Amino acid sequence: MGRSLKRIALVVTYGTLLSKAGGLIRQLVIAAAFGVGAAYDAYNYAYILPGFLLILLGGINGPFHSAMVSVLSRRPREEGAHILTTLNTTVSALLLVVTVTLVLAADPLITLVGPGLTPELHRIAVAQLQVMAPMALLAGLIGLGFGSLNAADEFWIPAISPLMSSVALVLGVGLLWWQLGAEIALPLNALWGGVVLALSTLVGALLQWLLQLPALARQGMARFRLSWDWSHPGVREVWRVMGPATLSSGMLQINVFTDMFFASGILGAAAGLSYSNLLVQTPLGLISNALLVPLLPTFSRLTAPEDRQPLIARIRQGLMLSTASMLPLGALFLALSTPIVALVYERGAFDQKAVQLVTGLLMAYGIGMPAYLGRDVLVRVFYALGDGTTPFRLSMAGIGLNVIFDWALVGGPSPWGPQFPINLGAPGLVLATVLINLLTCLALLLALQKRLGGLPLRDWGLDSLKLTLAAVAAGLAAWALSVGVAWNEDFVGRLFQVGLSGALGLLVFVLCAQAFAVPEVSEITAGIARRFRRR
């Protein structure tokens, strides 16, 4: 990568690392306070819609963010400020209607996403959704603002933004714990605990928006006035990318709704999915932001026909780096799932039964790690080319397949009883998503090959196979050390078990990948070696 790309990646990595550390602490506090009890189980259903909007519209690398970066990166700052003001006005008007709808229709919406919830869980989830409804309005403002900042080469504030949500939740749960003590996890306090979780989440979203305002003002992008200039070419271009991209990403989130629909009949599944998802998203988000944030503007500047070969080189770079980072991570999740879950969560209300539930889910996630980030790299290429339609069409197809896979992998439930002899339970829901991501990656690659007039897919596939073999060796080495030593079952013992086994696995992966002569791995290891030699 160029020097500027490395600098941006470093800034994003440090900021995201802080945010992910905050998210991990947040989840540890929630796990110790509520475990897989009613307050947090209900919260995961109430958070589906506002969380969907916050991730979809306000998330870094989301469609609002990606569309703003793609368009504003090529336009003067003054024009970019006008585009942002117009979009803020229109999006706020639309999302205000969504906010009111969430408040008024909270009861039937919770029934829709969690039909199998008990009456008590349903009541708690309805109250939580009504509290978190204003996140819909904040989500649009956050996504547009962060996209504008990245287009202006401002990366630090967007990277640390999620830290605000974690701080708000830790403080909120901490205050409740201070008031109730050990009684915080009792069923009679579940409603209070649920409301505090929801209110803290709303405050965190508000802080994310407020955090970006000084940076926008410094860049000359903050204009607190209404603008309805829908005919502006820049505004129309953003909508051309953002409209299909939002629908496409939204289709992916519908898969989450489907998962939660089938999970509502599995006790503790919603909470377990959330805990395991954090373990996956902590490293995935760190690597994703460090890789995708600097690559998206680069893709956008290489869309001319004469830049076809440099664009293909960047696409390969993005895919190989994502594969080289995700494969060993997935292998370690498979090999060390139980000690990882026990190390991170097993304390307070989080008991051995909860550990077993989350372990199975983490293993299922580990199988599909490469497809998660690879899909995102390919989708960003289409966004940079001004094509949000292709990812949207594939997402539409994925929705139907996800329903079928979810239904089949949890035993085929029906009014006449299960239709399949194999029921994988909650891990089956994760495996359904893994299958969808793998099929989507394959379809995106084939579509991109056709659009760009050919890609060296055979060479890329061969290098990916080499990395897969290296990851298998890494997972086996980590598993052998983990089970071959009688580790103490306290915190320190588990820390050494995970740390040393994981380090061995990563070392084996690097050595094997270097032996296979995969260029991107060799470049990274050579750069690290040069840095240590200079020191």
Side-chain angles (χ1 to χ4, degrees), residues 65 97 103 126 128 158 169 188 238 247 279 321 329 369 411 417 479 496 535:
H65 171 270
V97 175
V103 173
V126 168
Q128 291 172 321
L169 269 163
L188 62 91
V238 170
L247 291 174
L279 294 175
L321 288 175
L329 188 61
M369 290 300 291
W479 173 81
F496 275 104
R535 293 181 179 180

Side-chain angles (χ1 to χ4, degrees), residues 343-377:
L343 171 67
V344 176
Y345 290 129
E346 193 176 11
R347 60 187 58 84
F350 202 96
D351 55 18
Q352 184 60 38
K353 183 178 179 181
V355 170
Q356 293 174 357
L357 172 65
V358 178
T359 293
L361 293 167
L362 184 60
M363 294 180 71
Y365 274 118
I367 295 172
M369 290 300 291
Y372 283 99
L373 191 51
R375 180 204 65 206
D376 286 345
V377 171

Side-chain angles (χ1 to χ4, degrees), residues 148-385:
S148 302
L149 288 174
N150 278 175
D153 292 329
E154 181 88 44
F155 296 95
W156 175 251
I157 295 300
I160 66 168
S161 166
L163 182 62
M164 299 299 100
S165 293
S166 298
V167 169
L169 269 163
V170 169
L171 290 177
V173 175
L175 287 173
L176 183 66
W177 209 337
W178 178 60
Q179 290 291 320
L180 298 179
E183 296 180 354
I184 189 173
L186 294 181
L188 62 91
N189 291 320
L191 178 60
W192 278 109
V195 170
V196 168
L197 283 171
L199 184 60
S200 300
T201 303
L202 175 61
V203 171
L206 178 62
L207 291 176
Q208 286 193 63
W209 177 60
L210 294 176
L211 181 67
Q212 68 177 236
L213 295 182
L216 286 171
R218 188 168 59 250
Q219 296 291 341
M221 305 287 285
R223 295 181 178 179
F224 297 98
R225 64 171 183 262
L226 300 179
S227 173
W228 304 95
D229 188 10
W230 298 342
S231 61
H232 187 282
V235 174
R236 297 175 67 178
E237 185 179 358
V238 170
W239 278 115
R240 278 198 300 271
V241 176
M242 189 167 64
T246 301
L247 291 174
S248 175
S249 298
M251 296 305 103
L252 292 176
Q253 292 299 317
I254 289 178
N255 291 333
V256 177
F257 300 164
T258 305
D259 292 345
M260 297 299 283
F261 179 90
F262 286 102
S264 64
I266 305 172
L267 185 63
L273 286 166
S274 178
Y275 289 126
S276 58
N277 188 58
L278 174 81
L279 294 175
V280 171
Q281 290 298 327
T282 296
L284 179 61
L286 178 65
I287 297 169
S288 172
N289 286 352
L291 182 63
L292 295 181
V293 170
L295 274 179
L296 180 57
T298 303
F299 290 153
S300 300
R301 295 176 184 125
L302 295 174
T303 55
E306 62 269 18
D307 292 324
R308 191 67 73 218
Q309 290 307 313
L311 176 61
I312 291 175
R314 288 297 190 183
I315 294 171
R316 180 208 153 88
Q317 183 184 60
L319 289 174
M320 287 298 106
L321 288 175
S322 66
T323 303
S325 56
M326 291 295 102
L327 278 173
L329 188 61
L332 293 182
F333 280 156
L334 284 167
L336 306 174
S337 54
T338 299
I340 288 175
V341 174
L343 171 67
V344 176
Y345 290 129
E346 193 176 11
R347 60 187 58 84
F350 202 96
D351 55 18
Q352 184 60 38
K353 183 178 179 181
V355 170
Q356 293 174 357
L357 172 65
V358 178
T359 293
L361 293 167
L362 184 60
M363 294 180 71
Y365 274 118
I367 295 172
M369 290 300 291
Y372 283 99
L373 191 51
R375 180 204 65 206
D376 286 345
V377 171
L378 293 170
V379 166
R380 267 57 185 186
V381 177
F382 280 94
Y383 289 169
L385 294 171

